[in-house]
Amino acid sequence: MPAKNDDLHGSAPDDADVALLLIDVINDLEFDGGDALLTQALPMAAQLATLKRRAKHAGIPTIYVNDNFGRWQSDFTTLLAHCLEDGVRGQPLAEQLRPECDDYFVLKPKHSGFYATTLDLLLRYLKVTTVILTGLTGDICVLFTANDAYMRDLHIVVPADCVASLQPDENRHALIHMQRVLKADVRPSTALDLNALKRPSGAQM
Amino acid sequence: MPAKNDDLHGSAPDDADVALLLIDVINDLEFDGGDALLTQALPMAAQLATLKRRAKHAGIPTIYVNDNFGRWQSDFTTLLAHCLEDGVRGQPLAEQLRPECDDYFVLKPKHSGFYATTLDLLLRYLKVTTVILTGLTGDICVLFTANDAYMRDLHIVVPADCVASLQPDENRHALIHMQRVLKADVRPSTALDLNALKRPSGAQM
Amino acid sequence: MPAKNDDLHGSAPDDADVALLLIDVINDLEFDGGDALLTQALPMAAQLATLKRRAKHAGIPTIYVNDNFGRWQSDFTTLLAHCLEDGVRGQPLAEQLRPECDDYFVLKPKHSGFYATTLDLLLRYLKVTTVILTGLTGDICVLFTANDAYMRDLHIVVPADCVASLQPDENRHALIHMQRVLKADVRPSTALDLNALKRPSGAQM
Amino acid sequence: MPAKNDDLHGSAPDDADVALLLIDVINDLEFDGGDALLTQALPMAAQLATLKRRAKHAGIPTIYVNDNFGRWQSDFTTLLAHCLEDGVRGQPLAEQLRPECDDYFVLKPKHSGFYATTLDLLLRYLKVTTVILTGLTGDICVLFTANDAYMRDLHIVVPADCVASLQPDENRHALIHMQRVLKADVRPSTALDLNALKRPSGAQM
């Protein structure tokens, strides 16, 4: 007897053990300190673009978990178009990390990707038990999202080269905290074996 | 001392006492029974289009609370474009109730507009204490949303001529239930004085 | 690789496919209409006491999902003691349905057992996929809880003889609604095969 | 037109601008490292007991936000009785910080006091806009709760002498993080003017 209602409200996406979350990478960076953050974010974006390609090959779905920046009347498409415009500070990030048609989107109104969003439900429908958290900023939105992921009993991977913060020191502290308290795997993306992250069996929550 | 953080994560929309919610009106109706539902929905849509214009004049914001129909990889813009295509059964609804640029969107994954969405937070930022619930279907998604609105201590208005269900009888039962249990005002939209719905003072939750 | 953290915050209860929920049965009934509700509730309580015993034999856990009746400063023990006092209108209910030491408790502040409570998480840790909903009142708190259970993809059983409402007619309407919209099994408890409700395999949400 | 339903489900507690939260102080400390944590917690408890008395005089309600330590079948009364027993390691804490009859309780199943609990709703009914966070441990449950309070636009006060962690260094890092990211006031309790924390006017969220 399947637990899932099979009406139109429950049409479930494909199963996945692991999901790659890109946090706040579609971002115009048009705020105080945005320039300094861009300096930290650019090398991160190059690493993350590679990780995203590898994830796609491994059958791991990508979910953009992105702030709506208070633009409650727009959607992700509008936000993306804005960030791809010439002259926008965050344009190089959006360019490198541009979503593809099989990626998922979750607009978040606050720091954690789980707060007042559909992310928890989406991950459950995807049967995800491990999340790879990446993006901006390591010491705020990535950290808040990681805390919430931990309370939901998800395994957490935060590749150290795929998160960036305004202050490198704060980025490092956040990684240490996530490793110590949240048992996060913080090895750089280059050391990650994506296939090994998948569950051996059909074990579940 | 303001309670709200004024950083980019809390940029709040304008204050409003009342919000008009359009539930699942952007809908291709391409499912069993969709034809019969269209018959019920067409006269409703005409009434609702008028109510939406009146709400705009009264300064009452409109929020589209719409199912994503399992299309977790698309957004509201894509869904709207699909529903506006020629030949799509729900096209006349989408045409009459097409969103404008100052309307708000909330994509819901399940029946209630409050479940796993940002609606609760959006209403709180808008300082809404009364919701006018309209759309499809009166006995399912409107009813589920109304129940959740009631638990959040919101005043509920469900204009009888602005909701439709597959079976007129079920629509009527749902209205009676919302009136009796949820203390909903179910007068037809033509009898509603929108300005009177606004709070006299700054009283709040 | 287990998804669950095994620290003290995640000490999980035993697995169960099915849970029996007793809603608002620990209730002093000291409100307008409480007398009339008691008349409806007494025969229900006798049936429910039997069902609870059968559930225990079948290894199905019982969860008391009970209103705190605005007594935010007390807990379930205090509420129970109050309802067991002589002269309290709801005493015969509390007497027949007195919790045992291996039962679970969830205090709910509003109508649905899922709203602002730990119920969702408890059911997930218990690996429950089917809920048997019983208690008071069929047309309000049981109905609200059933709606929320449905959105969480749980199978719903509402034995018609184990729910009561102030008005028998409203009880009947609620049962019809839950059967039609929520696909609930509303056979009387005497017709329920509790062992058959359990999942054949380890299939899950 | 009041937004609040005045039925038995909405009986609201008194208004308060500020609430004092005691996190995980009713705790047997019977786990690895519990001894070392007790060393840190004892001086904290003395300061906190004084702060609690001052809060009572200032009309600020106290809320015990306490882990259920996986004992899903017990309640706060049972947990308290256990922690007050002779020979239990956390007995001196429970003794000094023993709840009184006008205190509030929230049982939390996970690290943050807001996750899967009624805390958010209770604070809203109490009209709280500032929370004073205290207890155990500064770098885990206090920090998780503070993050969630911040996302709910609450002002955060974490008196440095009223939180303790296993490692003093981690306690200090957590305080610095809460001050920097969450704009928390981390002055010691002795420097806090409780009356000044109250809102000057009736301004609200």
Side-chain angles (χ1 to χ4, degrees):
Chain A
M1 191 156 58
K4 193 149 352 107
N5 304 310
D6 54 358
D7 68 6
L8 82 170
H9 294 278
S11 42
D14 287 350
D15 282 20
D17 296 333
V18 186
L20 173 65
L21 275 63
L22 272 61
I23 298 174
D24 286 347
V25 297
I26 305 303
N27 194 319
D28 64 15
L29 297 181
E30 299 289 353
F31 47 78
D32 273 359
D35 208 27
L37 182 53
L38 183 64
T39 308
Q40 302 297 322
L42 278 175
M44 180 280 288
Q47 295 294 97
L48 181 47
T50 302
L51 179 61
K52 193 188 159 190
R53 269 192 300 277
R54 288 174 54 208
K56 191 142 290 181
H57 287 137
I60 291 175
T62 292
I63 307 174
Y64 284 79
V65 179
N66 217 97
D67 212 289
N68 70 354
F69 297 107
R71 297 177 187 196
W72 302 76
Q73 285 142 317
S74 71
D75 62 8
F76 191 58
T77 306
T78 315
L79 179 66
L80 177 63
H82 163 65
C83 291
L84 285 169
E85 281 167 19
D86 284 342
V88 169
R89 190 183 276 153
Q91 195 265 358
L93 292 185
E95 194 62 59
Q96 277 184 86
L97 298 170
R98 191 196 279 256
E100 292 155 286
C101 62
D102 55 350
D103 295 333
Y104 296 88
F105 315 134
V106 170
L107 274 184
K108 70 180 172 68
K110 290 281 189 170
H111 314 76
S112 166
F114 288 93
Y115 181 62
T117 73
T118 195
L119 180 59
D120 185 283
L121 191 66
L122 175 58
L123 292 177
R124 230 174 304 151
Y125 269 74
L126 288 167
K127 296 193 173 40
V128 163
T129 55
T130 297
V131 285
I132 307 173
L133 303 180
T134 67
L136 307 174
T137 66
D139 62 338
I140 306 186
C141 291
V142 174
L143 178 60
F144 274 67
T145 303
N147 283 335
D148 276 352
Y150 183 67
M151 286 198 289
R152 283 157 181 82
D153 296 321
L154 295 162
H155 293 285
I156 298 169
V157 180
V158 189
D161 57 338
C162 291
V163 291
S165 305
L166 187 54
Q167 302 291 344
D169 254 21
E170 301 299 344
N171 204 53
R172 198 156 42 238
H173 280 143
L175 284 164
I176 290 169
H177 174 89
M178 293 187 278
Q179 186 177 37
R180 182 178 67 89
V181 175
L182 314 181
K183 329 279 191 282
D185 178 348
V186 301
R187 279 176 296 176
S189 63
T190 47
L192 270 188
D193 177 352
L194 293 180
N195 288 309
L197 292 177
K198 300 199 169 188
R199 281 168 302 182
S201 74
Q204 54 80 250
M205 202 226 76
Chain B
M1 190 156 61
K4 194 151 351 107
N5 304 310
D6 52 359
D7 69 4
L8 83 169
H9 292 279
S11 41
D14 289 347
D15 282 20
D17 296 333
V18 186
L20 173 66
L21 275 64
L22 272 63
I23 297 173
D24 284 348
V25 297
I26 305 303
N27 194 318
D28 65 14
L29 297 179
E30 299 289 353
F31 47 79
D32 273 1
D35 209 26
L37 182 53
L38 184 63
T39 307
Q40 302 298 322
L42 278 175
M44 180 278 289
Q47 294 295 97
L48 181 48
T50 302
L51 179 62
K52 192 188 159 190
R53 271 192 299 275
R54 287 175 53 208
K56 191 142 291 180
H57 287 138
I60 291 174
T62 292
I63 306 174
Y64 285 79
V65 179
N66 216 96
D67 213 287
N68 69 352
F69 298 106
R71 297 179 185 195
W72 302 77
Q73 285 142 316
S74 71
D75 62 8
F76 191 58
T77 305
T78 316
L79 179 66
L80 176 64
H82 164 66
C83 291
L84 284 168
E85 281 168 18
D86 284 341
V88 169
R89 192 183 274 154
Q91 193 265 356
L93 291 186
E95 194 61 61
Q96 278 184 85
L97 298 169
R98 188 196 281 256
E100 292 156 285
C101 63
D102 55 351
D103 295 332
Y104 296 88
F105 314 134
V106 171
L107 274 185
K108 69 180 175 67
K110 288 283 189 169
H111 313 76
S112 166
F114 288 93
Y115 181 61
T117 73
T118 195
L119 181 59
D120 187 284
L121 190 66
L122 175 58
L123 293 178
R124 231 176 302 152
Y125 269 74
L126 288 168
K127 297 193 172 40
V128 162
T129 55
T130 297
V131 285
I132 308 174
L133 303 179
T134 66
L136 305 174
T137 68
D139 62 337
I140 305 185
C141 291
V142 174
L143 179 59
F144 274 67
T145 304
N147 284 336
D148 275 352
Y150 183 68
M151 286 198 288
R152 282 156 181 82
D153 297 320
L154 294 163
H155 293 284
I156 299 168
V157 179
V158 188
D161 57 339
C162 291
V163 291
S165 304
L166 188 54
Q167 302 292 343
D169 255 21
E170 301 300 345
N171 204 54
R172 201 158 38 240
H173 279 143
L175 284 165
I176 290 168
H177 173 89
M178 292 189 276
Q179 186 176 38
R180 181 177 68 89
V181 174
L182 314 182
K183 326 281 192 284
D185 178 348
V186 301
R187 279 175 296 176
S189 63
T190 47
L192 270 186
D193 177 352
L194 294 179
N195 288 309
L197 291 178
K198 300 198 170 187
R199 284 168 300 182
S201 72
Q204 54 82 249
M205 204 221 73
Chain C
M1 191 156 58
K4 194 148 353 107
N5 304 310
D6 51 0
D7 68 7
L8 82 171
H9 294 279
S11 43
D14 288 349
D15 282 21
D17 296 335
V18 186
L20 173 64
L21 274 64
L22 272 61
I23 297 174
D24 285 346
V25 297
I26 305 303
N27 195 319
D28 65 14
L29 297 180
E30 299 289 353
F31 47 78
D32 274 0
D35 209 27
L37 181 53
L38 182 64
T39 307
Q40 302 298 321
L42 278 174
M44 180 279 289
Q47 295 294 97
L48 181 48
T50 302
L51 179 62
K52 192 187 160 190
R53 271 192 299 277
R54 290 174 53 208
K56 191 141 292 182
H57 287 138
I60 292 174
T62 292
I63 306 174
Y64 285 79
V65 180
N66 216 95
D67 212 288
N68 70 353
F69 298 107
R71 298 177 187 196
W72 301 78
Q73 285 141 316
S74 70
D75 62 8
F76 192 57
T77 305
T78 316
L79 179 66
L80 177 63
H82 164 64
C83 291
L84 284 169
E85 281 167 20
D86 284 341
V88 169
R89 191 183 274 151
Q91 194 265 356
L93 292 185
E95 195 59 62
Q96 280 185 84
L97 298 169
R98 192 195 279 257
E100 291 155 286
C101 63
D102 56 348
D103 295 332
Y104 295 90
F105 316 135
V106 171
L107 275 185
K108 68 181 175 67
K110 289 283 189 171
H111 313 75
S112 166
F114 288 95
Y115 181 60
T117 75
T118 194
L119 181 58
D120 187 283
L121 191 66
L122 176 58
L123 293 177
R124 232 175 301 150
Y125 270 74
L126 287 167
K127 296 194 174 38
V128 163
T129 54
T130 298
V131 285
I132 309 174
L133 304 180
T134 66
L136 306 175
T137 67
D139 62 337
I140 306 188
C141 290
V142 174
L143 178 60
F144 274 68
T145 304
N147 284 335
D148 275 353
Y150 183 67
M151 285 198 289
R152 282 154 182 84
D153 296 320
L154 295 161
H155 294 284
I156 298 168
V157 180
V158 189
D161 58 340
C162 291
V163 291
S165 306
L166 187 55
Q167 303 290 344
D169 255 22
E170 301 300 344
N171 205 52
R172 201 157 39 240
H173 279 143
L175 284 164
I176 291 169
H177 174 89
M178 292 188 277
Q179 187 176 38
R180 182 178 67 87
V181 175
L182 314 181
K183 326 280 191 283
D185 179 346
V186 301
R187 279 175 297 175
S189 62
T190 48
L192 270 187
D193 177 352
L194 293 178
N195 288 310
L197 291 178
K198 301 197 172 189
R199 282 166 304 180
S201 74
Q204 52 85 247
M205 207 218 69
Chain D
M1 193 156 58
K4 193 147 357 108
N5 304 310
D6 52 1
D7 67 6
L8 81 171
H9 294 279
S11 44
D14 288 348
D15 282 21
D17 296 334
V18 185
L20 173 65
L21 275 64
L22 271 62
I23 298 174
D24 286 347
V25 296
I26 305 304
N27 196 319
D28 65 14
L29 297 179
E30 299 290 352
F31 46 79
D32 273 0
D35 209 27
L37 182 53
L38 182 63
T39 307
Q40 302 298 322
L42 278 175
M44 180 279 290
Q47 295 294 96
L48 181 47
T50 302
L51 179 62
K52 193 188 161 191
R53 271 193 299 277
R54 287 173 55 206
K56 191 141 291 181
H57 287 138
I60 292 175
T62 291
I63 307 173
Y64 285 79
V65 179
N66 217 96
D67 212 289
N68 69 354
F69 297 107
R71 298 178 186 195
W72 302 76
Q73 284 140 318
S74 71
D75 61 10
F76 191 57
T77 305
T78 316
L79 179 65
L80 176 64
H82 164 66
C83 291
L84 285 169
E85 280 166 20
D86 284 342
V88 169
R89 190 183 276 153
Q91 195 264 359
L93 290 186
E95 195 60 60
Q96 280 184 84
L97 298 170
R98 192 195 279 256
E100 291 155 286
C101 64
D102 55 348
D103 294 333
Y104 295 89
F105 315 135
V106 171
L107 275 184
K108 68 181 176 67
K110 289 282 188 170
H111 313 74
S112 166
F114 289 94
Y115 182 61
T117 74
T118 195
L119 181 59
D120 186 284
L121 191 65
L122 176 58
L123 293 178
R124 232 175 301 150
Y125 269 74
L126 288 168
K127 296 192 173 42
V128 164
T129 55
T130 298
V131 286
I132 307 174
L133 304 179
T134 67
L136 306 172
T137 66
D139 62 337
I140 306 187
C141 291
V142 174
L143 179 60
F144 274 67
T145 304
N147 284 335
D148 275 353
Y150 183 67
M151 285 199 287
R152 284 154 180 84
D153 297 320
L154 295 162
H155 294 285
I156 298 168
V157 180
V158 189
D161 57 340
C162 292
V163 292
S165 305
L166 188 54
Q167 302 291 343
D169 254 21
E170 300 300 345
N171 205 53
R172 201 158 37 241
H173 280 143
L175 285 164
I176 291 168
H177 174 89
M178 292 188 276
Q179 186 176 37
R180 182 178 66 89
V181 174
L182 314 181
K183 327 278 192 284
D185 179 347
V186 301
R187 280 176 295 176
S189 62
T190 46
L192 269 188
D193 177 351
L194 293 179
N195 288 309
L197 291 178
K198 300 198 169 188
R199 282 166 304 179
S201 73
Q204 54 81 247
M205 205 220 75

